[in-house]
Amino acid sequence: MAADSTRSFAIVEDQPDMCVLIRLALTRDPRLQAAGEASSADEALALLDECEPALIILDHSIEGEMMGLEAAPLLKAKAAGSKILLFTAHDMSGEAASEPAVDAFLRKDRIDQLLATAQRLLGLDPAA
Amino acid sequence: MEAALGVLRNVQTVLYVGLGVSAFWAWHRRRGPTRAWMAGTFGVLAVVTLVGLLLPDENAPRSSADWASRTVLMLIVLFPYFLFRFAASFRRRPEWVEVGALALTIVLGLSVYLFDELPRQGEAWGSAFGVWVLGFLVQWVSLSAVVAFELWRSGHGQPTVSRRRMRLLSFGSIGLALALVLAGAAGSGGGSTTSRFVVQLLSLASAPLFLLGFNPPRFLLAAWRRPELLELRSAEEVLMRAVTQSEVGERLLPHVTRIVGGKASVLVDRDGHVLGVDGVSLGDVGQLLDPTAKGHRPEEIIVIPLRSGRLVVQATPYTPYFARSETELLDTLATFTDLALSRAELSERERQTAIELHAANEAMREFVAIASHDLRTPVTVIKGFASALESDRGAISAEQRQQHLGTIRRHADHLGVIIDDLLTTSRLDAGVIEPTPTEIELGPFLRRLAIDLHPDVPVTVDVGPADLRIRVDCDHLQRMVTNYLENAFRYGEPPVTLRARLVEEFVEIAVCDEGRGVPPEFVDRAFEKFARVDKRHSKESQGTGLGLAIVRGLARASGGDAWFVPNVRDGACFALRLPVSGPS
């Protein structure tokens, strides 16, 4: 995969302000493009019918019956090529580590590391 | 042989007189029907043997000998009847048996005086006297047999001492009846010397049997009581090992029942809660504990008072008379039971404390987790937008810049509310919030509060009586009513009603809306910290989850309370109560 190719990301987050913030943080790297946003697991699964983003930023406390961690395997099953980053304000590093569908975990208050984590997951050179 | 007979007769006299005196003494010391009949029984025997000694010899004038002989015969007739009544004092016989026994005894006793003259020893019996002797034998043998059978059968299942005493009395009755039958069979001549010797021996042997059964010496009692003492030791061991109060009940009671040969036993604590039962179903315990219950025989119920409750044993009719010492063993056990119950209570309290501590730790852990989450979210947004404003300064339009600043302000405000609620909750938990009451007129206060909070949303304020004045901490009241109203605006639907009523020495304030109401699964934990309607079912903006906990904490700090009002068909209704005269 070429280091300078464009990668898309999807945001699964129920707080509009956080969606804006994540988009702002990631699109600082011009190689990253927003593919869509969803506020619940159902919406996220529907979004994957339309596209297969390289990265899914997944919150845990989302709307609907299903929480983010529960939704991760379903999302992975539908988009096997997508990396899933669990991005939540909860301390869930342990739970995230034991869920194979989750590729990385980042707590929300470390939002300044979001872009670097996304780049590392996607194999993008941060310096490029 | 005649000399030996004389010795036997004298020994017998001494024994029966001793028996009669001690039976009377026992009745004198502790009066009751059982002891009265026992005293009558052996008193009659003593009198008969004494009067027998006074009988004139064969050469005395017939008239004086007759008088003494008739009296002896009349008294002898009374003996089996009194013995029968003694046995019947424990367990009543069918009425026809009791009436028949009495009638036969009266007829036999009185008819002795109807004969012209009684035959002397060696004289032939007339047919009338022969019939009387036959009736007398029937009365004596049948009543003695009933008593012997009853005492023998009822001894089964009794403590060792009771069982042996009852069986000795049973043997004594049989021995005496047998002696009489033999004497009767010998006929008018009195039989041979040998047969008279056997009769005398049987009659004499009955005396110690009666004596031991009626009043056994202490050394015999101690020897006989060994199985019950072993049972007591087992009960004490059980008490030492029991950990919980119900274990004390379950393991102790079978021993208790066995020690007194009872039918059932129950252990209840000082609040009347049943800790254990034996020999009775839980459904029938009430009847056992209720002295006024139908079929209840108070004399069969042994109640051992404990410091921590009581031990109730359903014994048998024989227990009060034959097993008094075994009942006293239960008094010894009472002290051990009290100790075991106290220890179990302490241990239970300790276990409960450990559970509560664990629950408190869990609650604290959850509190920290949720508080961390709720604090991190606005901090993240503020940090993120501030960072975007800094780093993308050139690329951001003026409009976007304003939007970002607005978002930062909103989240900073929310953060301020969370921190304020958290601090209030901590101070409530620590009990350091002191209400500062002032007197206000409630109606205008609530109306102003509702308008200030949401000028655009009308709230119906209804205060009765209209001029109600209360002493209250105004800041606390404002906080409580505001939290209720904000919940109604956030989760409910208009119209929102704010109603206050005077109820005795309290004012009750309720905030009701006409929205979807409170999900049933949320009702029980609505006033817990961080309790929020499940986000999965709600798209509405979330509060801090501390609002209702704060309302309840502040209300209680003023001597009032806060609660959810159930059964409101449409919408939700939350109420609080405050003392009109201010915090106590």
Side-chain angles (χ1 to χ4, degrees), chain B residues 262-526:
Chain B
K263 297 173 190 163
S265 53
V266 182
L267 180 65
V268 292
D269 68 12
R270 61 174 74 86
D271 300 322
H273 297 130
V274 175
L275 298 175
V277 295
D278 178 54
V280 62
S281 68
L282 272 174
D284 294 333
V285 164
Q287 198 180 8
L288 179 57
L289 297 176
D290 178 13
T292 60
K294 199 179 170 191
H296 206 283
R297 297 189 58 175
E299 68 276 10
E300 288 182 33
I301 305 296
I302 303 167
V303 180
I304 311 285
L306 308 171
R307 270 190 295 116
S308 45
R310 66 200 154 115
L311 185 59
V312 181
V313 186
Q314 185 183 15
T316 67
Y318 300 94
T319 311
Y321 184 79
F322 287 106
R324 272 190 57 221
S325 53
E326 282 70 21
T327 308
E328 284 162 13
L329 289 183
L330 294 187
D331 291 331
T332 315
L333 208 50
T335 313
F336 282 91
T337 308
D338 259 330
L339 283 173
L341 286 176
S342 305
R343 199 188 58 230
E345 195 180 356
L346 277 176
S347 145
E348 179 66 21
R349 218 178 289 163
E350 202 174 301
R351 205 174 60 84
Q352 202 56 41
T353 308
I355 290 172
E356 280 167 14
L357 271 177
H358 181 70
N361 278 343
E362 280 298 301
M364 179 56 78
R365 202 185 58 77
E366 198 180 343
F367 177 88
V368 170
I370 298 174
S372 308
H373 170 269
D374 286 9
L375 288 169
R376 271 177 203 137
T377 303
V379 168
T380 302
V381 174
I382 291 166
K383 263 171 68 177
F385 278 104
S387 170
L389 285 172
E390 273 176 1
S391 56
D392 302 332
R393 200 170 296 162
I396 294 176
S397 67
E399 190 187 353
Q400 278 177 322
R401 184 182 176 78
Q402 274 312 113
Q403 277 178 358
H404 290 356
L405 284 172
T407 307
I408 288 172
R409 174 171 289 281
R410 247 186 314 111
H411 282 270
D413 287 346
H414 185 56
L415 189 61
V417 172
I418 294 174
I419 290 169
D420 194 37
D421 279 2
L422 278 173
L423 288 175
T424 305
T425 310
S426 303
R427 283 161 59 212
L428 282 168
D429 284 349
V432 294
I433 284 196
E434 286 288 332
T436 316
T438 52
E439 188 170 314
I440 58 160
E441 192 176 346
L442 190 60
F445 182 91
L446 293 179
R447 279 186 202 96
R448 197 165 49 249
L449 197 157
I451 290 169
D452 289 350
L453 188 65
H454 238 301
D456 305 332
V457 183
V459 174
T460 308
V461 180
D462 172 17
V463 177
D467 59 349
L468 179 61
R469 298 183 71 82
I470 65 168
R471 273 179 61 77
V472 68
D473 184 313
C474 292
D475 290 341
H476 290 183
L477 180 62
Q478 180 171 349
R479 187 89 180 260
M480 289 185 276
V481 176
T482 299
N483 284 4
Y484 272 173
L485 284 173
E486 279 182 342
N487 274 1
F489 296 145
R490 185 178 291 128
Y491 303 110
E493 297 287 341
V496 174
T497 311
L498 174 55
R499 194 172 52 244
R501 286 285 179 276
L502 183 63
V503 179
E504 295 174 352
E505 69 269 35
F506 290 93
V507 59
E508 286 191 4
I509 301 172
V511 174
C512 305
D513 67 71
E514 296 192 7
R516 285 173 303 174
V518 179
E521 67 275 11
F522 179 69
V523 169
D524 284 346
R525 55 186 183 89

Side-chain angles (χ1 to χ4, degrees), chain A residues 14-18 20-21 24 28 39 43 59 61-67 70 87-91 107-112, chain B residues 369-370 372-374 376-377 379-388 391-392 396 400 404 407 410-411 534-539:
Chain A
D14 66 336
Q15 290 188 14
D17 292 336
M18 277 309 300
V20 173
L21 205 51
L24 278 175
R28 274 188 211 150
S39 59
E43 282 181 23
D59 185 20
S61 298
I62 51 178
E63 283 172 10
E65 292 294 327
M66 205 180 291
M67 304 296 274
E70 295 161 4
F87 186 56
T88 172
H90 293 285
D91 284 311
R107 222 169 62 190
K108 272 184 177 169
D109 56 323
R110 295 184 186 132
I111 190 166
D112 49 334
Chain B
I370 298 174
S372 308
H373 170 269
D374 286 9
R376 271 177 203 137
T377 303
V379 168
T380 302
V381 174
I382 291 166
K383 263 171 68 177
F385 278 104
S387 170
S391 56
D392 302 332
I396 294 176
Q400 278 177 322
H404 290 356
T407 307
R410 247 186 314 111
H411 282 270
D534 198 334
K535 194 176 176 181
R536 298 171 186 214
H537 302 286
S538 169
K539 261 180 160 319

Side-chain angles (χ1 to χ4, degrees), chain B residues 121-386:
Chain B
Q121 194 167 4
E123 287 181 4
W125 292 349
S127 56
F129 189 73
V131 170
W132 186 91
V133 170
L134 189 65
F136 169 60
L137 285 176
V138 167
Q139 184 241 17
W140 190 301
V141 171
S142 59
L143 291 183
S144 297
V146 166
V147 170
F149 175 75
E150 182 65 30
L151 289 177
W152 184 274
R153 192 178 61 90
S154 303
H156 182 75
Q158 293 292 320
T160 318
V161 168
S162 305
R163 192 172 60 248
R164 297 207 169 153
R165 287 180 63 188
M166 290 163 85
R167 291 189 172 170
L168 283 168
L169 289 175
S170 178
F171 274 132
S173 308
I174 292 170
L176 213 53
L178 213 57
L180 209 73
V181 169
L182 283 178
S188 57
S192 65
T193 311
T194 311
S195 72
R196 279 196 291 142
F197 187 77
V198 171
V199 167
Q200 195 63 59
L201 213 56
L202 270 174
S203 167
L204 180 64
S206 299
L209 292 177
F210 279 130
L211 199 58
L212 290 178
F214 161 67
N215 192 13
R218 285 178 189 279
F219 76 92
L220 261 187
L221 282 176
W224 288 346
R225 204 179 290 130
R226 280 201 63 190
E228 281 67 37
L229 287 173
L230 289 175
E231 196 74 54
L232 183 71
R233 298 278 169 276
S234 307
E236 287 167 1
E237 277 174 32
V238 157
L239 287 175
M240 302 233 267
R241 283 199 296 269
V243 177
T244 65
Q245 292 202 327
S246 49
E247 254 181 41
V248 171
E250 279 167 24
R251 296 185 184 175
L252 167 73
L253 294 178
H255 295 283
V256 168
T257 313
R258 281 198 292 270
I259 285 173
V260 292
K263 297 173 190 163
S265 53
V266 182
L267 180 65
V268 292
D269 68 12
R270 61 174 74 86
D271 300 322
H273 297 130
V274 175
L275 298 175
V277 295
D278 178 54
V280 62
S281 68
L282 272 174
D284 294 333
V285 164
Q287 198 180 8
L288 179 57
L289 297 176
D290 178 13
T292 60
K294 199 179 170 191
H296 206 283
R297 297 189 58 175
E299 68 276 10
E300 288 182 33
I301 305 296
I302 303 167
V303 180
I304 311 285
L306 308 171
R307 270 190 295 116
S308 45
R310 66 200 154 115
L311 185 59
V312 181
V313 186
Q314 185 183 15
T316 67
Y318 300 94
T319 311
Y321 184 79
F322 287 106
R324 272 190 57 221
S325 53
E326 282 70 21
T327 308
E328 284 162 13
L329 289 183
L330 294 187
D331 291 331
T332 315
L333 208 50
T335 313
F336 282 91
T337 308
D338 259 330
L339 283 173
L341 286 176
S342 305
R343 199 188 58 230
E345 195 180 356
L346 277 176
S347 145
E348 179 66 21
R349 218 178 289 163
E350 202 174 301
R351 205 174 60 84
Q352 202 56 41
T353 308
I355 290 172
E356 280 167 14
L357 271 177
H358 181 70
N361 278 343
E362 280 298 301
M364 179 56 78
R365 202 185 58 77
E366 198 180 343
F367 177 88
V368 170
I370 298 174
S372 308
H373 170 269
D374 286 9
L375 288 169
R376 271 177 203 137
T377 303
V379 168
T380 302
V381 174
I382 291 166
K383 263 171 68 177
F385 278 104

